[in-house]
Structures are given as structure tokens and as C-alpha cells.
């Protein structure tokens, strides 16, 4: 049987990279969207013409069942979520419905379409399921680095919703024998990361200041530490997790942390600027409950999958700044101005 993947969140950063990776690996890829006639990816380009679009909404159970039945996937990747953490405080119920209960609805759609009804019933026709869990579930961390055994203490509605989804995957795996896994992914970025995220906001600002389009960047907590990697590396790990002989939730990260201050310093230095001349701390941008330190223990993923990241933090930041320099100059300038406005920089 040919390999067929159904991806929710196909138009986002991870969906874009994952679809590209799977197509290069010989998959037939289906992307689930909420009824758009011509869906566009995060970077503003239309979906690849070889991606087959199916309609579905993580808020609507019936549409999810139809999407699974229509695509008949061998693998389902649930990447759809309300993924920008600060918004989850403004819209906590939406975060719960989409990011949390959306996982349950997707699992139920697979169970229903496959006809699973009795406990621990397995079938070769049931698609394998990947859930995009997150290091934000660790929140107020109990230990560093964080592994698959580290207790969760989420510090945002987003983290709480993701934790619910994570445990539902575990429950369906144990209750129905489904091959269902969660990838506990630490922060992963790219040139097509949404402009509202701090990494992209910093790369855009460094490029814009260099080009004379702005002078000051305002940020919140510069001391927060994150384990940042390249999204293209992490989607390889997603596919590898569904290729395991036995389902197992795994942590994916670099094992190296940097402060937001380091991110800013590298980005501005890449264009020959001193960040201290252009960056100000704005207390209004601080989170209600901050996650201070996230660092991955990726030893299990190395052992089980042979996975490791290939792009360094410095290479990632340079890649993003260079991409935004191109975006803000030449024929792409109009699109660049729109992205600056989205990022709140204009």
C-alpha cells in the first residue's frame, strides 16, 4: 500500500516543512484546511500543487471523520493548533477547544473511521497518529534538562491544552491499541516562522534596522532561556517517530539553551549592528506566568531513532535574518512591509 499522509495545520511552518519532507520521501500528501479555495502557506505562497486538499475543522467532529475517510491515510500528523502562546491568555477557551479538544476529535475521527470499538482492538488498516506536543507542557520545570519522564507543570492556557491532548494520545494508545505517539518538541524555528513569534520578530527587526526601516525593537523578558532548533530538522523526527516498530512518545530538541538576549545579539551582529543600541525592554510584553528555562534531554530520541539536529543555533539565526533581508528589499518589499505590520514592528 502506498504511503498516504494527512496533515492538519498544513499551511503553518511545520506543515510546510513536513509536507515537503514527506513528498520527497515518496508520500502522497493530503492537507486539511478549513474550506479555503486556494490555501496559502505561512510564507504567502500557495500550497504545493501535488498536495491534495481536504476540508476539515478541528472544532467539527463530523468534518474530521469525513477528512479521514476521504484521504484514507496510512499516517495522520496533527499539527493544527492555536500555537502562539500569548494569545492563549486572551482566548483560553478557544485554545482549549482547538489545541486540546481538537486532538481528541482527531483521535475519535480515526477510531470511528477505522471501526475501533472494543478495548485493545488493533487493525492493520488503522492509520498511525502523530501529535505535536510541546516543551511548554513542562512549564515551571522540575528538572533540567527535561526528558520524557519529567513531570508537566504548564504555565499558560496553551501549555495546559497541549497537556490534555498529550494525555489523550496516551489514553487512546493504551485503550484501543492505536499506534499513536506525541513528539514533545522544543522550540523550532525557520524563515517562515510566524512574525508574531519572538525569533521571527527579532530577525525581522535586525533586517529592518539594517535597512533603515525602523530604529527600535521592544521585547519582554530577555533572560528567558530556550532550546531553539531548525524546523526542518524536527519534521524529520516526526516522520521517524511514526516509523518506529513500537509507539513511544519522545523529546526532540538540541540540548543547548540560549537566552532571548543571545538571540538578539546574534541577529543584530549578523548585520553588523550592536543590539544594545536598538533593543528596549517593554514590561507590557511580559507573560502573566513566565516559563524561564527549557532544555531538552534528547538522549532517548538519539538512541531510539538515531535522530539529531543538523542546523546550529547560529546557522538558524543567520538563515532567518538573511531571508528577512531579502524579504524587505527589492521586488518583495511590499510583502515585507505587510509582515512587519503583522509583527507589530510598523
Amino acid at each position: 500500500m502506498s504511503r498516504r499522509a494527512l496533515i492538519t495545520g498544513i499551511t503553518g511552518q511545520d506543515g510546510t516543512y513536513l509536507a515537503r519532507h514527506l513528498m520527497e520521501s515518496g508520500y502522497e500528501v493530503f492537507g486539511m484546511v478549513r474550506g479555503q479555495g486556494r490555501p496559502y502557506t505561512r510564507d504567502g505562497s500557495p500550497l504545493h500543487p501535488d498536495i491534495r486538499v481536504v476540508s476539515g475543522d478541528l472544532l467539527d467532529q463530523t468534518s474530521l471523520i469525513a477528512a479521514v475517510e476521504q484521504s484514507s491515510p496510512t499516517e495522520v500528523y496533527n499539527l493544527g493548533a492555536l500555537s502562539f502562546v500569548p494569545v492563549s491568555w486572551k482566548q483560553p477557551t478557544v485554545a482549549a477547544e482547538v489545541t486540546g479538544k481538537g486532538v481528541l476529535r482527531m483521535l475519535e475521527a480515526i477510531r470511528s473511521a477505522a471501526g475501533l470499538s472494543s478495548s485493545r482492538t488493533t487493525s492493520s488498516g488503522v492509520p498511525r497518529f502523530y501529535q505535536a506536543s510541546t516543551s511548554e507542557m513542562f512549564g515551571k520545570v522540575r528538572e533540567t534538562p527535561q526528558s520524557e519522564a519529567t513531570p508537566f507543570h504548564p504555565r499558560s492556557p496553551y501549555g495546559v491544552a497541549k497537556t490534555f491532548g498529550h494525555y489523550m494520545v496516551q489514553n487512546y494508545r493504551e485503550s484501543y491499541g492505536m499506534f499513536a505517539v506525541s513528539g514533545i518538541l522544543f522550540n523550532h524555528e525557520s524563515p517562515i516562522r510566524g512574525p508574531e513569534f519572538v525569533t521571527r520578530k527579532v530577525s525581522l527587526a535586525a533586517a529592518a534596522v539594517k535597512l533603515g526601516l525602523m530604529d527600535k525593537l521592544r521585547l519582554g523578558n530577555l533572560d528567558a532561556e530556550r532550546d531553539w532548533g531548525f524546523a526542518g530538522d524536527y519534521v524529520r523526527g516526526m516522520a521517524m517517530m511514526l516509523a518506529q516498530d513500537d509507539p513511544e512518545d519522545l523529546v526532540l530538541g538540541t540540548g543547548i539553551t540560549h537566552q532571548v538576549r543571545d538571540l538578539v545579539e546574534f541577529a543584530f551582529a549578523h548585520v553588523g549592528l550592536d543590539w544594545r543600541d536598538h533593543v528596549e525592554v517593554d514590561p507590557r510584553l511580559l507573560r502573566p506566568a513566565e516559563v524561564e528555562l527549557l532544555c531538552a534531554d534528547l538522549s532517548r530520541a538519539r538512541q531510539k531513532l538515531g535522530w539529531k539536529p543538523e542546523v546550529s543555533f547560529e546557522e538558524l539565526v543567520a538563515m532567518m535574518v538573511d531571508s528577512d533581508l531579502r524579504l524587505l528589499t527589492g521586488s518583495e518589499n511590499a510583502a515585507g512591509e505587510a509582515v512587519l505590520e503583522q509583527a507589530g514592528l510598523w
Side-chain angles (χ1 to χ4, degrees):
M1 183 178 179
S2 63
R3 293 180 296 180
R4 298 156 66 96
L6 172 63
I7 303 173
T8 73
I10 186 75
T11 59
Q13 169 190 259
D14 291 6
T16 300
Y17 279 97
L18 178 62
R20 185 182 305 164
H21 173 74
L22 293 179
M23 286 190 292
E24 290 172 352
S25 301
Y27 280 71
E28 184 177 2
V29 174
F30 292 77
M32 195 184 82
V33 300
R34 290 183 295 172
Q36 298 100 313
R38 292 190 62 200
Y40 286 80
T41 61
R42 175 64 77 172
D43 63 355
S45 60
L47 282 182
H48 191 284
D50 290 339
I51 295 174
R52 299 179 63 179
V53 175
V54 295
S55 180
D57 190 327
L58 289 173
L59 295 174
D60 178 34
Q61 185 70 68
T62 303
S63 72
L64 298 181
I65 296 172
V68 172
E69 291 178 340
Q70 180 181 345
S71 56
S72 297
T74 53
E75 298 174 4
V76 174
Y77 294 85
N78 186 45
L79 311 183
L82 186 71
S83 58
F84 186 47
V85 176
V87 170
S88 72
W89 275 287
K90 298 178 180 178
Q91 300 178 325
T93 56
V94 176
E97 286 289 342
V98 176
T99 307
K101 291 174 68 176
V103 183
L104 173 57
R105 294 188 188 100
M106 200 71 232
L107 288 165
E108 268 295 285
I110 293 171
R111 188 192 65 79
S112 176
L116 294 178
S117 58
S118 60
S119 179
R120 302 298 299 168
T121 300
T122 58
S123 169
S124 59
V126 181
R128 296 189 169 198
F129 178 81
Y130 173 87
Q131 164 60 18
S133 287
T134 171
S135 59
E136 287 285 332
M137 298 186 306
F138 295 122
K140 190 174 182 179
V141 298
R142 312 282 184 88
E143 61 185 14
T144 298
Q146 294 89 49
S147 73
E148 294 82 4
T150 301
F152 298 141
H153 187 145
R155 299 267 282 171
S156 66
Y158 169 80
V160 172
K162 281 287 190 179
T163 303
F164 171 84
H166 181 88
Y167 281 127
M168 289 310 307
V169 172
Q170 176 182 298
N171 184 261
Y172 271 61
R173 181 171 66 229
E174 295 175 354
S175 298
Y176 298 106
M178 290 174 60
F179 193 110
V181 300
S182 294
I184 306 174
L185 271 56
F186 282 65
N187 296 67
H188 46 288
E189 319 295 328
S190 76
I192 60 170
R193 174 53 104 181
E196 68 273 18
F197 288 83
V198 68
T199 45
R200 185 72 191 287
K201 184 174 289 190
V202 168
S203 67
L204 278 165
V209 171
K210 179 64 176 179
L211 296 171
L213 299 176
M214 58 180 286
D215 184 57
K216 294 292 183 182
L217 169 64
R218 291 173 176 80
L219 294 173
N221 184 8
L222 298 182
D223 296 323
E225 296 182 67
R226 293 292 184 271
D227 182 331
W228 277 300
F230 173 52
D233 287 336
Y234 289 64
V235 299
R236 285 190 295 105
M238 296 178 189
M240 293 169 78
M241 288 182 65
L242 288 194
Q244 301 176 85
D245 292 332
D246 300 302
E248 181 179 343
D249 303 331
L250 293 170
V251 163
L252 299 183
T254 71
I256 302 170
T257 62
H258 292 89
Q259 291 185 330
V260 174
R261 183 179 284 99
D262 300 327
L263 167 68
V264 174
E265 181 179 356
F266 277 120
F268 278 81
H270 186 66
V271 292
L273 298 173
D274 186 333
W275 70 273
R276 290 168 293 191
D277 296 332
H278 303 284
V279 177
E280 298 177 350
V281 173
D282 186 342
R284 293 173 298 178
L285 299 176
L286 297 174
R287 292 183 180 185
E290 183 61 87
V291 176
E292 296 292 346
L293 171 62
L294 293 173
C295 180
D297 177 352
L298 65 156
S299 55
R300 183 60 179 165
R302 285 181 181 271
Q303 174 192 350
K304 190 80 185 294
L305 306 178
W307 178 87
K308 62 179 181 180
E310 296 177 354
V311 177
S312 71
F313 175 74
E314 294 81 2
E315 291 169 330
L316 170 64
V317 175
M319 178 197 309
M320 293 178 68
V321 173
D322 288 340
S323 175
D324 284 327
L325 281 169
R326 292 190 295 270
L327 181 66
L328 297 177
T329 56
S331 60
E332 299 183 5
N333 187 44
E337 291 177 0
V339 172
L340 285 174
E341 188 171 355
Q342 281 183 274
L345 300 175
W346 245 14

